[in-house]
Amino acid sequence: IAAHRKWKITLRKAITEKQTLDAEVICRDDRCALGLWIHGAGGRQWRNKPGFSELVSKHAQFHQSAGTVAKTINAGDYQRALGMIDVDSQFSAISGEVVNVILHVKSATANALN
């Protein structure tokens, strides 16, 4: 959860400092720790559990959204990129949805283990 929340900070810093990001990697949902788990051990163990398919979908959408912001930053359109990560943006909405689904799956997996 913390790592996914940190993306907004990373994107804002890239805008502020006019950095270039690896948008192709950011778009991939199988490169971060959660994605490695989803597409690896977690997927093998939990793929049929409630909420897991939603987690996979929302996580992929999050990375696509973050990648789109990164591409906008790389194009030098910093004002547009700022708008793409503001509180009412698609990025912020999907980010919140990912956190909620993670919490749901985390709760479901904890209950299944007890």
Side-chain angles (χ1 to χ4, degrees):
I1 292 172
H4 277 264
R5 287 185 172 154
K6 187 179 174 193
W7 269 107
K8 187 170 187 174
I9 295 166
T10 300
L11 294 169
R12 187 175 302 281
K13 181 179 180 202
I15 294 166
T16 303
E17 297 180 6
K18 297 179 176 28
Q19 297 172 340
T20 300
L21 299 169
D22 191 342
E24 297 308 313
V25 170
I26 293 170
C27 285
R28 298 209 35 193
D29 70 326
D30 62 346
R31 296 290 179 101
C32 68
L34 178 60
L36 291 170
W37 181 82
I38 287 171
H39 295 286
R44 287 188 298 277
Q45 184 174 359
W46 299 102
R47 72 174 150 248
N48 296 320
K49 301 296 182 194
F52 190 81
S53 63
E54 183 180 13
L55 174 61
V56 172
S57 174
K58 295 294 183 187
H59 184 250
Q61 289 174 31
F62 171 83
H63 276 276
Q64 286 299 309
S65 182
T68 299
V69 176
K71 290 174 185 175
T72 303
I73 293 167
N74 291 348
D77 196 347
Y78 304 113
Q79 282 305 110
R80 182 166 171 246
L82 272 174
M84 293 172 78
I85 62 170
D86 77 10
V87 71
D88 295 324
S89 68
Q90 176 189 3
F91 173 83
S92 291
I94 193 65
S95 181
E97 290 173 20
V98 167
V99 169
N100 288 337
V101 174
I102 290 170
L103 291 172
H104 173 76
V105 170
K106 185 177 177 181
S107 173
T109 56
N111 289 339
L113 295 173
N114 290 328

